[in-house]
Amino acid sequence: MNAYTEQIVRILAQHHNAEDAVAMKQYMRNQFEFLGIRKPQRESLCKQFIQEQGVPSIEMLPDIITELWNLPEREYQYTALDILAKSVKRLNPNHMSLLERLIVNKSWWDTVDGIAPNMAGHLLRQYPELIAMYAEPWIESDNMWLNRSAILFQLKYKQHTDEKLLYDYIVRKADSNEFFIQKAIGWALREYAKTNPGSVQQFIDSHELKPLSRREGLKHLQNA
């Protein structure tokens, strides 16, 4: 294990809280082990560590992120994402394969929903030629979390949203019975409605969507 990773592991392990770990594991449907470090404390520890040690070099970054991802306790994955967030402006197309691995390993909304819009979304906007290489296969994948990522990667694009692409991806998955796909469709529509409400209203009116997707997609329009 990289020395940088070892230091993070040692610091976080010192703050193990067995009682909170049980509660946090239950909240996440017993899918992951936890150290029991709640978000504010974890973020504070990570912030202090980065202030003292700096962010990893771009060359070391993939190995450190992978090492943290491979550890059983969920806080290590959260910390990996905290480090990635500090490094997002330094990412380049070569890091898309890393992000894809993170999406499909130890997958749940708590990690995927940070990676898709904040990291993959950043790279796909900077390098739109990557959409055909990544987002397009994602929307056609048998992996639900890749589908969700394809729908959500433009979540923060606002006026830069490729509307045609967004609607195309939604239509392709509109008949999905997966809760997380229906929810992603609604979320993407609701967010884009803040930028182009008329277009979203017209899209919802003219397409057959699952009730959850429709309900979520209309929330901003109804509250406007």
Side-chain angles (χ1 to χ4, degrees), residues 195-209:
T195 297
N196 197 339
S199 174
V200 172
Q201 183 71 66
Q202 184 178 19
F203 177 83
I204 292 174
D205 289 344
S206 59
H207 289 81
E208 195 70 36
L209 299 175

Side-chain angles (χ1 to χ4, degrees), residues 24 27-28 31-32 34 42 69 74-75 77-78 81 106-115 145 148 180:
M24 293 166 77
Y27 176 72
M28 295 301 290
Q31 295 191 93
F32 309 105
F34 280 85
R42 189 197 76 246
W69 214 262
R74 198 63 165 166
E75 286 90 347
Q77 284 94 67
Y78 297 154
L81 294 184
K106 301 188 177 179
S107 311
W108 199 242
W109 62 265
D110 58 331
T111 53
V112 171
D113 291 0
I115 299 167
W145 298 106
R148 184 173 169 96
F180 285 108

Side-chain angles (χ1 to χ4, degrees), residues 136-177:
E136 188 64 26
W138 289 357
I139 199 65
E140 292 298 328
S141 173
D142 292 332
N143 185 293
M144 173 185 69
W145 298 106
L146 290 176
N147 301 159
R148 184 173 169 96
S149 297
I151 294 167
L152 294 179
F153 84 83
Q154 296 194 82
L155 197 66
K156 298 186 176 181
Y157 282 19
K158 298 182 179 179
Q159 70 272 20
H160 301 291
T161 299
D162 183 335
E163 181 181 287
K164 182 179 178 181
L165 184 68
L166 174 64
Y167 291 163
D168 176 42
Y169 283 4
I170 288 173
V171 168
R172 290 200 225 176
K173 293 299 174 183
D175 63 349
S176 173
N177 291 319

Side-chain angles (χ1 to χ4, degrees), residues 35-104:
L35 292 169
I37 307 172
R38 297 192 177 273
K39 183 177 179 179
Q41 184 184 21
R42 189 197 76 246
E43 289 182 339
S44 177
L45 290 169
C46 184
K47 181 180 180 180
Q48 182 179 350
F49 178 80
I50 289 175
Q51 286 175 342
E52 294 173 356
Q53 302 297 327
V55 292
S57 69
I58 201 67
E59 294 78 19
M60 291 170 52
L61 186 67
D63 286 344
I64 290 168
I65 298 303
T66 300
E67 287 173 348
L68 289 169
W69 214 262
N70 289 339
L71 294 169
E73 291 83 9
R74 198 63 165 166
E75 286 90 347
Y76 295 122
Q77 284 94 67
Y78 297 154
T79 301
L81 294 184
D82 289 342
I83 293 169
L84 269 176
K86 295 289 186 181
S87 307
V88 69
K89 292 183 179 179
R90 298 186 296 142
L91 299 181
N92 62 60
N94 294 327
H95 293 103
M96 278 299 296
S97 59
L98 170 65
L99 298 181
E100 185 177 71
R101 289 198 303 275
L102 302 184
I103 290 169
V104 300

